mmCIF file of all heavy atoms in Angstrom:
data_model
loop_
_atom_site.group_PDB
_atom_site.id
_atom_site.type_symbol
_atom_site.label_atom_id
_atom_site.label_comp_id
_atom_site.label_asym_id
_atom_site.label_seq_id
_atom_site.Cartn_x
_atom_site.Cartn_y
_atom_site.Cartn_z
ATOM 1 N N VAL U 157 108.817 113.992 88.046
ATOM 2 C CA VAL U 157 108.878 113.822 89.502
ATOM 3 C C VAL U 157 108.589 112.360 89.845
ATOM 4 O O VAL U 157 107.534 111.830 89.485
ATOM 5 C CB VAL U 157 107.867 114.743 90.213
ATOM 6 C CG1 VAL U 157 107.895 114.506 91.723
ATOM 7 C CG2 VAL U 157 108.173 116.208 89.900
ATOM 8 N N ARG U 158 109.524 111.720 90.540
ATOM 9 C CA ARG U 158 109.365 110.312 90.907
ATOM 10 C C ARG U 158 108.635 110.156 92.239
ATOM 11 O O ARG U 158 107.782 109.308 92.379
ATOM 12 C CB ARG U 158 110.742 109.640 90.983
ATOM 13 C CG ARG U 158 111.472 109.622 89.649
ATOM 14 C CD ARG U 158 112.788 108.888 89.757
ATOM 15 N NE ARG U 158 113.429 108.777 88.460
ATOM 16 C CZ ARG U 158 114.524 108.043 88.235
ATOM 17 N NH1 ARG U 158 115.095 107.387 89.246
ATOM 18 N NH2 ARG U 158 115.039 107.984 87.031
ATOM 19 N N TYR U 159 109.013 110.971 93.211
ATOM 20 C CA TYR U 159 108.307 110.955 94.484
ATOM 21 C C TYR U 159 108.497 112.287 95.189
ATOM 22 O O TYR U 159 109.354 113.104 94.796
ATOM 23 C CB TYR U 159 108.761 109.788 95.377
ATOM 24 C CG TYR U 159 110.193 109.813 95.860
ATOM 25 C CD1 TYR U 159 110.516 110.332 97.118
ATOM 26 C CD2 TYR U 159 111.227 109.302 95.088
ATOM 27 C CE1 TYR U 159 111.825 110.343 97.574
ATOM 28 C CE2 TYR U 159 112.544 109.303 95.528
ATOM 29 C CZ TYR U 159 112.837 109.823 96.772
ATOM 30 O OH TYR U 159 114.145 109.828 97.230
ATOM 31 N N VAL U 160 107.662 112.507 96.199
ATOM 32 C CA VAL U 160 107.664 113.783 96.922
ATOM 33 C C VAL U 160 107.722 113.494 98.413
ATOM 34 O O VAL U 160 107.007 112.611 98.913
ATOM 35 C CB VAL U 160 106.391 114.598 96.601
ATOM 36 C CG1 VAL U 160 106.484 115.987 97.226
ATOM 37 C CG2 VAL U 160 106.158 114.700 95.094
ATOM 38 N N GLU U 161 108.562 114.230 99.133
ATOM 39 C CA GLU U 161 108.672 114.094 100.586
ATOM 40 C C GLU U 161 108.191 115.365 101.266
ATOM 41 O O GLU U 161 108.502 116.472 100.824
ATOM 42 C CB GLU U 161 110.127 113.830 100.992
ATOM 43 C CG GLU U 161 110.636 112.447 100.649
ATOM 44 C CD GLU U 161 112.048 112.247 101.162
ATOM 45 O OE1 GLU U 161 112.939 113.030 100.750
ATOM 46 O OE2 GLU U 161 112.266 111.334 101.961
ATOM 47 N N ALA U 162 107.430 115.189 102.339
ATOM 48 C CA ALA U 162 106.968 116.345 103.115
ATOM 49 C C ALA U 162 108.114 116.873 103.972
ATOM 50 O O ALA U 162 108.836 116.106 104.605
ATOM 51 C CB ALA U 162 105.794 115.939 103.994
ATOM 52 N N GLN U 163 108.248 118.180 104.003
ATOM 53 C CA GLN U 163 109.216 118.836 104.875
ATOM 54 C C GLN U 163 108.542 120.075 105.460
ATOM 55 O O GLN U 163 108.720 121.191 104.970
ATOM 56 C CB GLN U 163 110.492 119.201 104.102
ATOM 57 C CG GLN U 163 111.270 117.981 103.633
ATOM 58 C CD GLN U 163 112.652 118.307 103.109
ATOM 59 O OE1 GLN U 163 113.010 119.472 102.909
ATOM 60 N NE2 GLN U 163 113.446 117.271 102.886
ATOM 61 N N TYR U 166 106.656 122.670 103.409
ATOM 62 C CA TYR U 166 107.254 122.533 102.088
ATOM 63 C C TYR U 166 107.161 121.081 101.623
ATOM 64 O O TYR U 166 106.843 120.166 102.382
ATOM 65 C CB TYR U 166 108.727 122.948 102.118
ATOM 66 C CG TYR U 166 108.955 124.432 102.318
ATOM 67 C CD1 TYR U 166 108.822 125.021 103.562
ATOM 68 C CD2 TYR U 166 109.318 125.245 101.243
ATOM 69 C CE1 TYR U 166 109.033 126.384 103.761
ATOM 70 C CE2 TYR U 166 109.545 126.611 101.420
ATOM 71 C CZ TYR U 166 109.406 127.172 102.677
ATOM 72 O OH TYR U 166 109.620 128.516 102.853
ATOM 73 N N ALA U 167 107.453 120.884 100.344
ATOM 74 C CA ALA U 167 107.546 119.535 99.782
ATOM 75 C C ALA U 167 108.809 119.466 98.931
ATOM 76 O O ALA U 167 109.137 120.418 98.218
ATOM 77 C CB ALA U 167 106.319 119.218 98.938
ATOM 78 N N ARG U 168 109.524 118.355 99.030
ATOM 79 C CA ARG U 168 110.723 118.166 98.220
ATOM 80 C C ARG U 168 110.398 117.228 97.064
ATOM 81 O O ARG U 168 110.005 116.075 97.259
ATOM 82 C CB ARG U 168 111.882 117.604 99.052
ATOM 83 C CG ARG U 168 113.172 117.454 98.249
ATOM 84 C CD ARG U 168 114.374 117.207 99.131
ATOM 85 N NE ARG U 168 114.692 118.358 99.966
ATOM 86 C CZ ARG U 168 115.391 119.413 99.556
ATOM 87 N NH1 ARG U 168 115.806 119.480 98.286
ATOM 88 N NH2 ARG U 168 115.640 120.392 100.379
ATOM 89 N N LEU U 169 110.556 117.739 95.848
ATOM 90 C CA LEU U 169 110.283 116.963 94.640
ATOM 91 C C LEU U 169 111.555 116.244 94.202
ATOM 92 O O LEU U 169 112.583 116.878 93.969
ATOM 93 C CB LEU U 169 109.811 117.886 93.504
ATOM 94 C CG LEU U 169 108.717 118.912 93.827
ATOM 95 C CD1 LEU U 169 108.422 119.758 92.584
ATOM 96 C CD2 LEU U 169 107.457 118.225 94.321
ATOM 97 N N HIS U 170 111.479 114.938 94.088
ATOM 98 C CA HIS U 170 112.638 114.146 93.661
ATOM 99 C C HIS U 170 112.459 113.732 92.207
ATOM 100 O O HIS U 170 111.511 113.022 91.856
ATOM 101 C CB HIS U 170 112.788 112.904 94.538
ATOM 102 C CG HIS U 170 113.170 113.208 95.945
ATOM 103 N ND1 HIS U 170 114.489 113.177 96.396
ATOM 104 C CD2 HIS U 170 112.423 113.558 97.025
ATOM 105 C CE1 HIS U 170 114.521 113.486 97.675
ATOM 106 N NE2 HIS U 170 113.286 113.723 98.090
ATOM 107 N N HIS U 176 114.063 119.258 94.491
ATOM 108 C CA HIS U 176 113.717 120.671 94.513
ATOM 109 C C HIS U 176 112.713 120.920 95.633
ATOM 110 O O HIS U 176 111.739 120.187 95.778
ATOM 111 C CB HIS U 176 113.106 121.102 93.176
ATOM 112 C CG HIS U 176 113.927 120.713 91.984
ATOM 113 N ND1 HIS U 176 114.986 121.474 91.531
ATOM 114 C CD2 HIS U 176 113.839 119.629 91.166
ATOM 115 C CE1 HIS U 176 115.515 120.872 90.467
ATOM 116 N NE2 HIS U 176 114.836 119.767 90.231
ATOM 117 N N VAL U 178 109.760 123.060 97.262
ATOM 118 C CA VAL U 178 108.714 124.007 96.877
ATOM 119 C C VAL U 178 107.815 124.258 98.084
ATOM 120 O O VAL U 178 107.615 123.370 98.916
ATOM 121 C CB VAL U 178 107.869 123.478 95.691
ATOM 122 C CG1 VAL U 178 108.704 123.391 94.438
ATOM 123 C CG2 VAL U 178 107.244 122.134 96.019
ATOM 124 N N ILE U 180 104.754 124.113 98.977
ATOM 125 C CA ILE U 180 103.421 123.541 98.761
ATOM 126 C C ILE U 180 103.277 122.371 99.734
ATOM 127 O O ILE U 180 104.126 121.486 99.758
ATOM 128 C CB ILE U 180 103.242 123.020 97.320
ATOM 129 C CG1 ILE U 180 103.551 124.115 96.294
ATOM 130 C CG2 ILE U 180 101.820 122.490 97.110
ATOM 131 C CD1 ILE U 180 103.520 123.621 94.866
ATOM 132 N N PRO U 181 102.242 122.325 100.547
ATOM 133 C CA PRO U 181 102.066 121.183 101.459
ATOM 134 C C PRO U 181 101.860 119.885 100.681
ATOM 135 O O PRO U 181 101.287 119.877 99.587
ATOM 136 C CB PRO U 181 100.801 121.553 102.252
ATOM 137 C CG PRO U 181 100.659 123.031 102.094
ATOM 138 C CD PRO U 181 101.200 123.354 100.738
ATOM 139 N N LEU U 182 102.329 118.780 101.245
ATOM 140 C CA LEU U 182 102.184 117.485 100.595
ATOM 141 C C LEU U 182 100.706 117.160 100.355
ATOM 142 O O LEU U 182 100.349 116.581 99.323
ATOM 143 C CB LEU U 182 102.820 116.389 101.456
ATOM 144 C CG LEU U 182 102.967 115.017 100.776
ATOM 145 C CD1 LEU U 182 103.999 115.075 99.676
ATOM 146 C CD2 LEU U 182 103.339 113.950 101.803
ATOM 147 N N LEU U 185 99.507 118.677 97.106
ATOM 148 C CA LEU U 185 99.988 117.942 95.932
ATOM 149 C C LEU U 185 99.269 116.604 95.795
ATOM 150 O O LEU U 185 98.970 116.169 94.680
ATOM 151 C CB LEU U 185 101.498 117.721 96.029
ATOM 152 C CG LEU U 185 102.374 118.949 95.816
ATOM 153 C CD1 LEU U 185 103.846 118.580 95.970
ATOM 154 C CD2 LEU U 185 102.123 119.566 94.435
ATOM 155 N N GLU U 186 98.984 115.956 96.918
ATOM 156 C CA GLU U 186 98.264 114.680 96.871
ATOM 157 C C GLU U 186 96.913 114.860 96.189
ATOM 158 O O GLU U 186 96.523 114.047 95.337
ATOM 159 C CB GLU U 186 98.070 114.130 98.283
ATOM 160 C CG GLU U 186 97.301 112.814 98.314
ATOM 161 C CD GLU U 186 97.051 112.329 99.733
ATOM 162 O OE1 GLU U 186 97.206 113.127 100.672
ATOM 163 O OE2 GLU U 186 96.694 111.147 99.893
ATOM 164 N N TRP U 189 97.497 115.993 92.343
ATOM 165 C CA TRP U 189 98.145 115.059 91.426
ATOM 166 C C TRP U 189 97.558 113.653 91.469
ATOM 167 O O TRP U 189 98.071 112.756 90.816
ATOM 168 C CB TRP U 189 99.640 115.003 91.746
ATOM 169 C CG TRP U 189 100.372 116.256 91.367
ATOM 170 C CD1 TRP U 189 99.861 117.384 90.799
ATOM 171 C CD2 TRP U 189 101.781 116.506 91.534
ATOM 172 N NE1 TRP U 189 100.848 118.319 90.602
ATOM 173 C CE2 TRP U 189 102.029 117.812 91.044
ATOM 174 C CE3 TRP U 189 102.832 115.755 92.050
ATOM 175 C CZ2 TRP U 189 103.303 118.371 91.046
ATOM 176 C CZ3 TRP U 189 104.106 116.310 92.058
ATOM 177 C CH2 TRP U 189 104.346 117.600 91.557
ATOM 178 N N PHE U 194 99.686 109.807 91.105
ATOM 179 C CA PHE U 194 100.443 109.906 92.349
ATOM 180 C C PHE U 194 99.578 109.397 93.498
ATOM 181 O O PHE U 194 98.374 109.657 93.542
ATOM 182 C CB PHE U 194 100.862 111.353 92.632
ATOM 183 C CG PHE U 194 102.023 111.833 91.802
ATOM 184 C CD1 PHE U 194 101.844 112.167 90.470
ATOM 185 C CD2 PHE U 194 103.294 111.933 92.351
ATOM 186 C CE1 PHE U 194 102.910 112.602 89.695
ATOM 187 C CE2 PHE U 194 104.371 112.374 91.588
ATOM 188 C CZ PHE U 194 104.178 112.707 90.251
ATOM 189 N N THR U 195 100.209 108.688 94.432
ATOM 190 C CA THR U 195 99.456 108.171 95.580
ATOM 191 C C THR U 195 100.297 108.252 96.837
ATOM 192 O O THR U 195 101.528 108.169 96.790
ATOM 193 C CB THR U 195 99.011 106.715 95.327
ATOM 194 O OG1 THR U 195 98.101 106.303 96.357
ATOM 195 C CG2 THR U 195 100.195 105.759 95.307
ATOM 196 N N ARG U 196 99.630 108.418 97.959
ATOM 197 C CA ARG U 196 100.314 108.493 99.261
ATOM 198 C C ARG U 196 100.696 107.082 99.695
ATOM 199 O O ARG U 196 99.868 106.182 99.679
ATOM 200 C CB ARG U 196 99.381 109.128 100.289
ATOM 201 C CG ARG U 196 99.987 109.321 101.685
ATOM 202 C CD ARG U 196 100.808 110.573 101.762
ATOM 203 N NE ARG U 196 100.022 111.786 101.713
ATOM 204 C CZ ARG U 196 99.914 112.643 102.732
ATOM 205 N NH1 ARG U 196 100.531 112.400 103.870
ATOM 206 N NH2 ARG U 196 99.200 113.750 102.608
ATOM 207 N N ILE U 197 101.963 106.878 100.070
ATOM 208 C CA ILE U 197 102.400 105.577 100.579
ATOM 209 C C ILE U 197 102.832 105.663 102.035
ATOM 210 O O ILE U 197 103.064 104.638 102.679
ATOM 211 C CB ILE U 197 103.551 104.991 99.738
ATOM 212 C CG1 ILE U 197 104.797 105.878 99.810
ATOM 213 C CG2 ILE U 197 103.124 104.759 98.301
ATOM 214 C CD1 ILE U 197 106.047 105.238 99.212
ATOM 215 N N HIS U 198 102.925 106.877 102.547
ATOM 216 C CA HIS U 198 103.361 107.115 103.925
ATOM 217 C C HIS U 198 102.880 108.515 104.286
ATOM 218 O O HIS U 198 102.599 109.321 103.390
ATOM 219 C CB HIS U 198 104.892 107.011 103.999
ATOM 220 C CG HIS U 198 105.438 106.936 105.392
ATOM 221 N ND1 HIS U 198 105.683 108.065 106.144
ATOM 222 C CD2 HIS U 198 105.799 105.873 106.157
ATOM 223 C CE1 HIS U 198 106.175 107.697 107.326
ATOM 224 N NE2 HIS U 198 106.250 106.379 107.362
ATOM 225 N N SER U 200 104.449 110.926 105.041
ATOM 226 C CA SER U 200 105.359 111.960 104.550
ATOM 227 C C SER U 200 105.818 111.726 103.112
ATOM 228 O O SER U 200 106.723 112.414 102.645
ATOM 229 C CB SER U 200 106.603 112.033 105.451
ATOM 230 O OG SER U 200 107.292 110.799 105.444
ATOM 231 N N THR U 201 105.193 110.777 102.402
ATOM 232 C CA THR U 201 105.682 110.439 101.063
ATOM 233 C C THR U 201 104.545 110.240 100.076
ATOM 234 O O THR U 201 103.583 109.540 100.332
ATOM 235 C CB THR U 201 106.534 109.147 101.079
ATOM 236 O OG1 THR U 201 107.464 109.198 102.155
ATOM 237 C CG2 THR U 201 107.288 108.987 99.770
ATOM 238 N N LEU U 202 104.713 110.880 98.917
ATOM 239 C CA LEU U 202 103.816 110.734 97.783
ATOM 240 C C LEU U 202 104.661 110.172 96.641
ATOM 241 O O LEU U 202 105.783 110.634 96.415
ATOM 242 C CB LEU U 202 103.252 112.110 97.399
ATOM 243 C CG LEU U 202 102.095 112.219 96.423
ATOM 244 C CD1 LEU U 202 100.822 111.638 97.040
ATOM 245 C CD2 LEU U 202 101.870 113.696 96.065
ATOM 246 N N VAL U 203 104.153 109.167 95.935
ATOM 247 C CA VAL U 203 104.967 108.529 94.896
ATOM 248 C C VAL U 203 104.188 108.433 93.594
ATOM 249 O O VAL U 203 102.951 108.314 93.586
ATOM 250 C CB VAL U 203 105.429 107.122 95.350
ATOM 251 C CG1 VAL U 203 104.261 106.161 95.409
ATOM 252 C CG2 VAL U 203 106.523 106.568 94.439
ATOM 253 N N ALA U 204 104.911 108.520 92.466
ATOM 254 C CA ALA U 204 104.310 108.348 91.146
ATOM 255 C C ALA U 204 104.289 106.861 90.817
ATOM 256 O O ALA U 204 105.337 106.222 90.758
ATOM 257 C CB ALA U 204 105.110 109.111 90.097
ATOM 258 N N LEU U 227 111.689 103.178 99.403
ATOM 259 C CA LEU U 227 110.798 104.010 100.200
ATOM 260 C C LEU U 227 109.865 103.127 101.016
ATOM 261 O O LEU U 227 109.207 102.236 100.460
ATOM 262 C CB LEU U 227 109.967 104.923 99.289
ATOM 263 C CG LEU U 227 110.737 105.754 98.256
ATOM 264 C CD1 LEU U 227 109.757 106.502 97.356
ATOM 265 C CD2 LEU U 227 111.682 106.725 98.946
#
Side-chain angles (χ1 to χ4, degrees):
V157 177
R158 297 183 175 188
Y159 65 96
V160 187
E161 288 183 301
Q163 294 191 350
Y166 290 77
R168 183 167 293 278
L169 312 178
H170 292 264
H176 309 276
V178 293
I180 305 174
L182 191 69
L185 288 179
E186 179 183 15
W189 289 0
F194 283 76
T195 189
R196 182 83 70 114
I197 63 170
H198 193 275
S200 61
T201 314
L202 192 67
V203 69
L227 309 175

